[in-house]
Amino acid sequence: MRFRPEKLVIEEAVAETSLVQRVLAVLPHTPVIWVGRVKETKGPRDEQVLEIVKFRGRFIKPCPGTRSYICCGYQILNLGIKCSLGCTYCILQSYFPSPNLRLFANLEDMWQQLRDHLGSFRNRVHRFGTGEFTDSLLLDPLTHLSADLVPFFAGEANAILELKTKTTQVESLETLNHRGHTVVAWSLNPDGVIASEEAAATSLDDRLEAARRCQEWGYRIAFHFDPLLVHPNWQQNYTEVVSRLFSTVDPRGIAWISLGTLRFMPALKPIIQQRHPESTILHEEFVPGLDGKMRYFRDLRVEMYRHLNELLKKGCEDLCIYLCMESEDVWTEALGFTPEERGGLCAILDRQALP
Amino acid sequence: MPETDFRSVQFEEVDWSDTTCLITYGPHPEKLLHAIDAVGLLQWPLLQQREDGLLRIVCGSRRLTVCRKLGIEPVPCQVFSTSVSHLTCLRMAIYDNVAQRVLNPVEKSLVLTKMAEYVDRPQLIEDVMPLLDLEPSVTLLQRYEGLQELDSPIVDAVAGGSLHERIAFALRPLRGKDRLAFLKLFEQLPFSVSVQEELLETIMDISRRDGVAPRDVINDKEIRELRQENKRPLRQRAQDIRICLQARRSPRLTARKQRFLEEIRQVGLPPGLRLEPPPHFEGSRWRLEFTFHQPDELTVRLRQVARLTGQPAFRRLLKSK
């Protein structure tokens, strides 16, 4: 599953950057096409291509939550877009116009923006993540970016970095000085769901084993049951996932666990139907949410959250469990409290964030 | 304007099967027949002399057909020589038609496919599509190009205006029998275009989920019976079918709506008050509606509302979402 591009398309403006030099050193025989500027096309993804470009936007963005639902309030550190794992439900299929996996190489701009951001809000807790628009560790064997990011955050008293992944590419984390300021997180689903909807990602056991290794290296870990998917025997299958989770990792070292059911913009539906005709994830009934995204009917969402919450709390009473993009009434019904009662979701996670 | 000869033409001189420049499609307007019958042919058709001696129709195929039907022969016509290019003739046919009327979607499709033989795609999109009042886009071009590949009852329905082209585009990926089952349903009952789109999506979702053909969803016993409820007005039948399909697609939501109605009944809302839950029971925005004529009536209503909000059953209802 390790991604090895067969062709690199690189913008000339970033030819001398350290990131490009690193990628070229790892892939010395991969053909390179040098271009002035990568063309924005709408066609299907070329699975063999990795584009490396100069990013002209903001590297730091707030999590794209909406006012209608309660957001975790973390900041996206945007180092690239798209992913090669091809999960059927992936929102990235409709989120960006450009189809190919793309890295941003002008990291000096990124570091500057990061330092400026941290400097502007010294008294705040900063939770950053690189796994919103791509998988955080998918390209790490090519870029070795974690070797820069992890020590950087180790030196920031009020900031943490969350690396979200469905891979097991954690080797480079072993020797890094993280000082507890990096949380490594995996998205979890039952084996059957992984086989049908996340076919190019690693198995559940492999993800949990990678998490265990990170714990051994002193990292705090996190899990995202997101998207939770309705499927035959979902209760039993998620019970099995939770059981394997607790038998593999030490729950005391889990920073947080999020729960979120499948949701998607309506534009994604025909894309899923066209690209993944065998997928059954759209068979369940959906209603438009307050943010325009399609969601499971709320009673079903509550049922799923309750089920997972009970299992997780049974395994470890003190776990920090939160819902991703849900309303107060769903929080109350599913978890028995609203974030507001505890100072708000951002505050809850901020308290959890720092070591 | 290329050099033109004016002459009287016998029908046997015309090759009626030559559709090189034919861009008209659809039923012949009755008015044209009445007009020619009443006052004769006011505008002369335009034809082209072919190398084999026969004539090709460039503009006026309907006028010529009507003349033939009415037995008006010979017909005065303008005739191009053989030297005039096909593209020039085709352009004449297109401009002659778009100057006089709005082409139907099938005719637009014909124009695009015929012009595609002479111009490249960017020119087709940038120049020809706006001429047909179409937004210049590759996607739309592909949709229009595919229109003629549909089954002839669907093409005829689009040309005749009984089926919207948006629906025809959406039907295209389906199998022929399924397309025709949809056409029959949409022609039988008065669904708006947006409801047709909704039904199409709902039926396709049910079909995928249940592993049955869309035509089997459309023709199953319950829907068939609703369609054949001849004593009910057409609009009511259309609405019944919509509700039935929605319930089948979204059983949880439907069950919740029914439970809500039962809860409302138990609360006993005063007459004239209407309570609506949040859309799809998502969020916490309820809606209470009432009307009044006089200030005194408003006072009564507000008192009723105040009493209502104090009732434990009403509060439970708002919480039981």
Side-chain angles (χ1 to χ4, degrees):
Chain A
M1 66 136 285
R2 185 157 286 195
F3 179 69
R4 301 283 293 192
E6 291 180 12
K7 190 166 76 180
L8 297 167
V9 177
I10 307 177
E11 288 186 351
E12 284 152 1
V14 293
E16 302 305 322
T17 58
S18 59
L19 186 129
V20 167
Q21 295 307 313
R22 283 181 205 180
V23 173
L24 292 178
V26 178
L27 302 169
H29 305 298
T30 306
V32 180
I33 298 172
W34 296 96
V35 295
R37 192 155 178 174
V38 168
K39 277 185 192 161
E40 297 295 346
T41 55
K42 277 190 176 175
R45 188 168 85 84
D46 185 339
E47 297 184 6
Q48 316 302 333
V49 167
L50 173 63
E51 298 169 350
I52 309 182
V53 306
K54 177 176 180 178
F55 182 52
R56 291 155 176 95
R58 292 282 306 164
F59 280 91
I60 297 165
K61 292 187 171 92
C63 182
T66 55
R67 266 191 235 158
S68 317
Y69 296 104
I70 299 166
C71 178
C72 64
Y74 94 140
Q75 300 285 324
I76 298 163
L77 187 57
N78 188 12
L79 303 174
I81 57 170
K82 297 278 183 174
C83 174
S84 65
L85 298 178
C87 301
T88 57
Y89 51 75
C90 183
I91 196 164
L92 299 176
Q93 294 175 97
S94 66
Y95 204 78
F96 295 104
S98 49
N100 295 335
L101 192 54
R102 184 177 289 186
L103 272 173
F104 304 143
N106 47 325
L107 296 178
E108 279 314 309
D109 295 335
M110 183 275 288
W111 291 119
Q112 189 57 52
Q113 288 177 26
L114 191 53
R115 281 190 291 266
D116 290 349
H117 186 89
L118 292 168
S120 307
F121 307 101
R122 276 280 162 220
N123 298 323
R124 253 175 40 188
V125 175
H126 299 274
R127 287 175 284 113
F128 283 96
T130 54
E132 188 73 13
F133 298 143
T134 186
D135 185 287
S136 292
L137 295 175
L138 179 74
L139 296 174
D140 209 47
L142 306 181
T143 64
H144 309 304
L145 268 175
S146 58
D148 296 331
L149 288 166
V150 172
F152 174 87
F153 278 91
E156 292 294 328
N158 291 337
I160 65 115
L161 170 69
E162 183 176 11
L163 299 170
K164 285 188 198 175
T165 188
K166 286 195 189 100
T167 76
T168 55
Q169 296 175 166
V170 294
E171 299 84 359
S172 62
L173 302 179
E174 182 176 2
T175 55
L176 301 177
N177 174 24
H178 57 81
R179 293 184 60 238
H181 283 258
T182 293
V183 173
V184 195
W186 281 265
S187 151
L188 299 182
N189 253 315
D191 287 321
V193 170
I194 291 175
S196 60
E197 314 300 337
E198 304 172 354
T202 53
S203 70
L204 174 63
D205 280 341
D206 287 348
R207 293 181 208 182
L208 292 174
E209 176 56 21
R212 191 195 60 75
R213 289 171 71 200
C214 286
Q215 271 197 324
E216 263 184 17
W217 303 331
Y219 287 94
R220 283 180 307 150
I221 54 175
F223 296 101
H224 300 283
F225 285 88
D226 196 346
L228 285 166
L229 293 165
V230 174
H231 59 279
N233 297 322
W234 65 263
Q235 295 94 333
Q236 195 183 321
N237 292 339
Y238 281 110
T239 304
E240 169 71 17
V241 174
V242 173
S243 160
R244 277 152 72 179
L245 185 156
F246 286 130
S247 65
T248 312
V249 302
D250 180 352
R252 289 168 303 178
I254 297 175
W256 46 66
I257 291 180
S258 78
L259 308 176
T261 54
L262 176 63
R263 56 207 176 275
F264 55 89
M265 289 307 288
L268 187 62
K269 184 178 175 183
I271 295 173
I272 295 175
Q273 285 169 338
Q274 193 191 348
R275 290 189 191 164
H276 312 285
E278 302 304 317
S279 173
T280 57
I281 58 171
L282 298 174
H283 290 183
E284 188 49 51
E285 65 180 275
F286 293 91
V287 296
L290 301 172
D291 53 1
K293 286 183 183 168
M294 304 305 290
R295 294 157 179 266
Y296 294 147
F297 184 55
R298 69 179 302 287
D299 293 0
L300 178 58
R301 303 203 311 267
V302 168
E303 188 185 341
M304 296 187 90
Y305 295 143
R306 269 190 188 156
H307 181 72
L308 265 292
N309 186 51
E310 278 167 22
L311 291 171
L312 292 165
K313 288 287 186 187
K314 209 181 284 177
C316 180
E317 183 63 32
D318 298 331
L319 278 179
C320 171
I321 298 166
Y322 71 94
L323 304 183
C324 186
M325 301 308 290
E326 280 297 353
S327 55
E328 272 196 2
D329 54 307
V330 170
W331 270 83
T332 308
E333 277 187 58
L335 304 189
F337 69 98
T338 67
E340 201 57 35
E341 292 165 17
R342 300 182 183 182
L345 179 56
C346 290
I348 294 171
L349 294 174
D350 286 351
R351 286 195 294 272
Q352 258 330 94
L354 299 177
Chain B
M1 179 83 174
E3 198 174 317
T4 314
D5 187 20
F6 293 88
R7 55 183 255 219
S8 293
V9 168
Q10 298 288 333
F11 292 134
E12 63 184 19
E13 294 179 80
V14 177
D15 181 353
W16 295 88
S17 65
D18 185 337
T19 57
T20 312
C21 300
L22 187 72
I23 59 153
T24 50
Y25 189 98
H28 286 209
E30 279 296 307
K31 280 182 183 170
L32 181 66
L33 190 140
H34 293 315
I36 293 174
D37 195 24
V39 296
L41 194 63
L42 297 178
Q43 271 187 298
W44 292 10
L46 177 63
L47 295 90
Q48 183 184 25
Q49 188 67 58
R50 287 192 337 203
E51 296 286 356
D52 62 2
L54 287 174
L55 294 168
R56 167 185 299 124
I57 302 170
V58 177
C59 306
S61 65
R62 281 176 171 166
R63 279 167 276 162
L64 280 167
T65 308
V66 167
C67 287
R68 190 155 72 151
K69 204 170 174 182
L70 293 172
I72 300 171
E73 194 181 22
V75 180
C77 294
Q78 302 178 65
V79 180
F80 282 160
S81 69
T82 53
S83 64
V84 179
S85 72
H86 284 180
L87 176 59
T88 305
C89 290
L90 183 57
R91 281 165 54 87
M92 291 274 182
I94 295 167
Y95 278 95
D96 180 55
N97 277 283
V98 297
Q100 296 178 54
R101 64 191 179 92
V102 176
L103 304 192
N104 70 49
V106 180
E107 292 172 327
K108 290 177 182 181
S109 167
L110 277 168
V111 169
L112 290 167
T113 44
K114 284 182 192 267
M115 282 301 284
E117 292 174 27
Y118 303 101
V119 300
D120 59 17
R121 285 183 88 69
Q123 202 182 341
L124 203 57
I125 293 165
E126 295 302 323
D127 297 343
V128 184
M129 291 187 79
L131 181 69
L132 304 172
D133 296 324
L134 296 177
E135 186 194 334
S137 100
V138 181
T139 312
L140 196 59
L141 174 62
Q142 286 166 344
R143 286 177 180 162
Y144 270 90
E145 284 175 330
L147 204 51
Q148 291 168 71
E149 291 162 20
L150 289 167
D151 327 72
S152 51
I154 291 179
V155 177
D156 290 347
V158 172
S162 61
L163 186 74
H164 198 280
E165 65 267 29
R166 271 202 337 250
I167 305 301
F169 298 151
L171 289 174
R172 194 171 162 234
L174 310 190
R175 292 188 175 170
K177 284 180 182 172
D178 295 320
R179 288 196 292 257
L180 293 174
F182 273 108
L183 177 68
K184 212 169 166 187
L185 174 68
F186 294 158
E187 286 195 327
Q188 184 193 356
L189 296 169
F191 300 108
S192 68
V193 176
S194 61
V195 171
Q196 287 181 6
E197 285 178 318
E198 175 203 297
L199 291 179
L200 192 56
E201 183 172 1
T202 305
I203 289 167
M204 290 309 296
D205 282 349
I206 295 170
S207 153
R208 287 190 191 100
R209 183 193 64 193
D210 298 350
V212 295
R215 62 182 178 278
D216 293 337
V217 179
I218 295 169
N219 295 325
D220 85 355
K221 191 167 173 282
E222 195 179 3
I223 303 292
R224 218 174 42 237
E225 283 173 0
L226 288 171
R227 288 170 72 173
Q228 289 164 355
E229 278 272 359
N230 292 331
K231 287 182 185 162
R232 283 174 77 75
L234 286 174
R235 288 204 175 279
Q236 195 56 57
R237 272 190 267 167
Q239 183 61 8
D240 291 345
I241 286 172
R242 192 181 174 199
I243 291 168
C244 173
L245 287 167
Q246 281 171 346
R248 207 175 289 177
R249 176 65 184 107
S250 306
R252 290 174 204 274
L253 179 63
T254 306
R256 185 64 192 90
K257 281 179 182 169
Q258 281 167 356
R259 206 170 84 216
F260 173 74
L261 291 176
E262 179 58 25
E263 286 164 352
I264 282 278
R265 200 185 58 75
Q266 285 173 5
V267 166
L269 276 189
L273 258 61
R274 197 170 144 220
L275 182 68
E276 270 185 38
H280 307 103
F281 298 91
E282 198 68 30
S284 52
R285 196 184 176 92
W286 293 75
R287 186 185 170 98
L288 183 69
E289 201 177 280
F290 59 82
T291 55
F292 62 93
H293 295 96
Q294 301 294 335
D296 290 348
E297 195 182 354
L298 174 61
T299 310
V300 172
R301 286 273 182 245
L302 291 174
R303 278 196 201 120
Q304 286 174 331
V305 171
R307 270 200 300 275
L308 190 66
T309 54
Q311 280 182 28
F314 181 75
R315 288 177 170 263
R316 269 200 306 276
L317 185 145
L318 295 192
K319 277 192 174 173
S320 75
K321 184 158 62 65

